[in-house]
Amino acid sequence: MQGDAYLKCINPQCGIEYPIEYTSVQCEKGHLLDVKYKNKPSPELKEVFYKRRNSEGSIFNESGVWRFRELLNFCQIDTENIEECSKYLVSLDGAEGRQSKPYHMSKAADFIGIPNENLWLQPEGYNPSGSFKDNGMATAVTHAKMTGAKKIVCASTGNTSASAGMFAANEGINCDVYIPAGQIAPGKLSQAYQFGAQIVEVDGNFDDALKQSLDDAQNHDGYTVNSVNPFRIEGQKTIPFRALEYLNWEAPDWLVYPGGALGNISSCGKALMELHEWGWIKKIPRIAVINSEGASTLSDLYNGKFENEKLRWNDGNPNIELISRYYDHLDKEGLRPKTKATAIQIGRPANILKGLRALEFTNGVATTVSDSEMLDGMSVVGLNGFDCEMASGATVVGIKKLINEGVIKNDDVVVGILTGRQKDAMIPVDYHRNSENEFAIPPKN
Ligand code: F0G
């Protein structure tokens, strides 16, 4: 299917197209890009994906990402030809996405106030590097290799760098990671060191680190693997694919994610747009994105909390000036994103326009939760025998808040994504030592 895949600017007024080998993360006018496919995959592939769960020795069937390879075939290979797959597709021996699927968690359902059978939570923390990032890193590094990149580069609040470092070590390529000094979880920092990444400490926050890493990638021949890279988005589409497949492709009412740089909701939106266009799903689930109260750019703008205007994708004509004025306002007032959930401590979500597009397509909502609520969400997940980090707790308490507000109805079917595993050992210890916390089980002596 050579010539099937290409890149296209997301701005409908611009819409410039590029060949698939193009490596910039923007069009020449500075807009984000989408990977596009000319051919329409047949719904009969559902059967093929299902059968691949018996991997028959192929790591590309074992992989929760490449199992769906026909729906992200930007390498334009013969997907049944294992030699071609081995030559092109980057994989952690089939482990990315392999363990992810939705589960019922009764204690979380009780806490939220939703019937247990209507709540599904999908832990992405059991990916090899401990977060959902491995889904998108498999595809981004595949494109990096396809275009001959020698070095991958990212900025990170910790999980992207862990994932990038792991893939780079596996592929024998270099990796530079820009991290906001002192603002990432110790377990995430140690992963980047352990995988041999070159750490660049930035005196500032994630937004500053991203700016510096994008500049350096451009000036020093690096390949950017942050979620502004459209190939990251392709791999992360498999998160909703796995959820939908598990539900026999019967779309739930809601898909709920924590929001940071908004790569995840962008990929979920793209996955749903494609599946709907291809006729694989009839109903479109609504996306709910949960910001931290201390890093609430999307929620503020989407809900009209700034200048009383509700920011919308508006069919490809979003009010960009409103976003600029919001950022100027943050700068002028010295407002820096601040939350204990450092994974989502982001003030300038790089994918905001794709995020808005996803919310428009799915009639989505955005809201915020506090740090102490996120800790409760994280902790109740733990009581079900699952492990997640504080930012992922936002999903649980976000669902609870939206149910209490009557936005999510009690009989709605909800899939919440638990984005990452606990990598800050002291957060649960401190939580449980304080008997005032809702789920605390303090130590005895
Ligand atoms: N949850 C976790 C555990 C994360 O690590 C991140 C982002 C998010 C949620 C937000 O996802 O950016 O797609 O909206 N972490 C990035 C990083 C920024 O550098 O690891 P998003």
Side-chain angles (χ1 to χ4, degrees):
M1 277 199 282
Q2 208 64 28
D4 180 45
Y6 60 103
L7 288 158
K8 187 173 167 105
C9 164
I10 67 162
N11 181 326
Q13 282 77 48
C14 179
I16 313 179
E17 295 181 5
Y18 295 93
I20 206 71
E21 295 79 15
Y22 186 69
T23 52
S24 170
V25 295
Q26 300 179 335
C27 83
E28 58 215 56
K29 298 199 180 139
H31 308 132
L32 294 172
L33 298 168
D34 269 335
V35 179
K36 303 283 276 183
Y37 305 96
K38 288 185 190 139
N39 285 315
K40 189 169 146 180
S42 152
E44 278 161 29
L45 283 166
K46 287 176 184 173
E47 197 61 34
V48 175
F49 300 155
Y50 189 78
K51 285 208 183 111
R52 283 180 184 158
R53 295 212 268 194
N54 175 358
S55 69
E56 296 186 340
S58 159
I59 62 165
F60 305 106
N61 293 347
E62 249 179 70
S63 164
V65 172
W66 296 121
R67 193 153 62 79
F68 299 98
R69 52 194 176 270
E70 284 78 6
L71 309 189
L72 25 141
N73 189 13
F74 56 84
C75 292
Q76 303 167 91
I77 55 171
D78 172 357
T79 47
E80 291 295 355
N81 181 326
I82 293 301
E83 260 171 50
E84 276 200 27
C85 290
S86 305
K87 187 168 163 209
Y88 285 95
L89 309 182
V90 169
S91 173
L92 297 168
D93 211 23
E96 60 284 335
R98 185 170 64 203
Q99 292 202 53
S100 119
K101 62 170 188 159
Y103 291 87
H104 287 310
M105 298 191 196
S106 62
K107 287 181 180 144
D110 281 353
F111 170 59
I112 289 171
I114 187 172
N116 190 31
E117 64 273 18
N118 290 355
L119 178 73
W120 297 95
L121 293 171
Q122 179 163 312
E124 289 293 327
Y126 301 132
N127 268 291
S129 81
S131 83
F132 73 92
K133 307 286 179 180
D134 294 346
N135 293 288
M137 206 56 72
T139 43
V141 178
T142 292
H143 187 252
K145 259 184 71 179
M146 175 179 151
T147 57
K150 299 277 179 297
K151 180 173 79 175
I152 60 172
V153 180
C154 68
S156 184
T157 56
N159 280 326
T160 299
S161 43
S163 180
M166 189 181 252
F167 275 90
N170 263 274
E171 294 303 316
I173 54 177
N174 294 325
C175 177
D176 288 356
V177 305
Y178 289 71
I179 53 124
Q183 295 178 31
I184 78 171
K188 298 176 183 176
L189 183 61
S190 74
Q191 283 181 293
Y193 276 114
Q194 194 152 13
F195 299 136
Q198 176 61 59
I199 288 166
V200 183
E201 290 185 324
V202 176
D203 184 18
N205 60 23
F206 170 80
D207 303 313
D208 305 315
L210 180 61
K211 191 172 174 305
Q212 201 174 319
S213 84
L214 290 171
D215 289 347
D216 283 8
Q218 204 164 25
N219 299 332
H220 300 104
D221 241 4
Y223 180 98
T224 293
V225 293
N226 278 101
S227 55
V228 285
N229 176 329
F231 296 92
R232 269 280 305 275
I233 302 294
E234 289 309 287
Q236 283 170 215
K237 291 191 310 194
T238 63
I239 298 170
F241 289 166
R242 289 191 294 272
L244 284 165
E245 183 189 56
Y246 198 81
L247 302 178
N248 292 319
W249 299 95
E250 281 189 24
D253 297 291
W254 293 90
L255 283 158
V256 186
Y257 289 86
L262 305 178
N264 243 343
I265 63 157
S266 300
S267 56
C268 182
K270 185 170 189 276
L272 297 174
M273 282 188 253
E274 291 176 343
L275 292 176
H276 190 255
E277 188 190 319
W278 299 334
W280 287 44
I281 54 168
K282 297 271 173 302
K283 184 169 104 187
I284 302 168
R286 298 177 72 184
I287 293 178
V289 55
I290 318 299
N291 278 153
S292 154
E293 276 174 5
S296 56
T297 298
L298 179 75
S299 177
D300 288 355
L301 290 168
Y302 194 71
N303 294 314
K305 299 223 166 107
F306 181 68
E307 294 184 1
N308 284 323
E309 178 177 339
K310 290 185 175 174
L311 179 68
R312 290 290 182 272
W313 170 244
N314 193 21
D315 249 342
N317 288 296
N319 186 348
I320 310 277
E321 283 77 37
L322 186 73
I323 306 175
S324 301
R325 287 201 298 279
Y326 179 83
Y327 292 158
D328 288 347
H329 155 80
L330 294 184
D331 288 344
K332 226 180 280 154
E333 302 293 320
L335 297 168
R336 313 284 278 169
K338 182 117 196 71
T339 167
K340 209 170 171 211
T342 49
I344 52 171
Q345 183 167 263
I346 293 173
R348 294 171 189 243
N351 289 296
I352 189 163
L353 296 181
K354 282 188 180 176
L356 289 170
R357 184 179 66 172
L359 292 180
E360 180 159 293
F361 180 71
T362 65
N363 187 23
V365 300
T367 192
T368 59
V369 292
S370 69
D371 280 8
S372 74
E373 288 173 310
M374 277 186 267
L375 287 169
D376 288 338
M378 174 197 88
S379 302
V380 78
V381 167
L383 299 182
N384 291 273
F386 288 88
D387 181 35
C388 77
E389 70 165 85
M390 189 172 162
S392 309
T395 295
V396 176
V397 281
I399 299 170
K400 182 175 168 68
K401 182 175 177 185
L402 292 169
I403 292 227
N404 289 342
E405 289 174 353
V407 178
I408 298 182
K409 304 282 176 275
N410 197 264
D411 57 355
D412 282 350
V413 174
V414 183
V415 176
I417 308 301
L418 303 175
T419 43
R421 200 157 182 166
Q422 183 60 259
K423 298 184 188 177
D424 197 335
M426 287 317 286
I427 287 187
V429 175
D430 292 342
Y431 179 90
H432 282 279
R433 277 186 178 156
N434 181 350
S435 58
E436 283 175 17
N437 286 323
E438 176 147 3
F439 298 106
I441 306 174
K444 277 190 191 166
N445 48 25

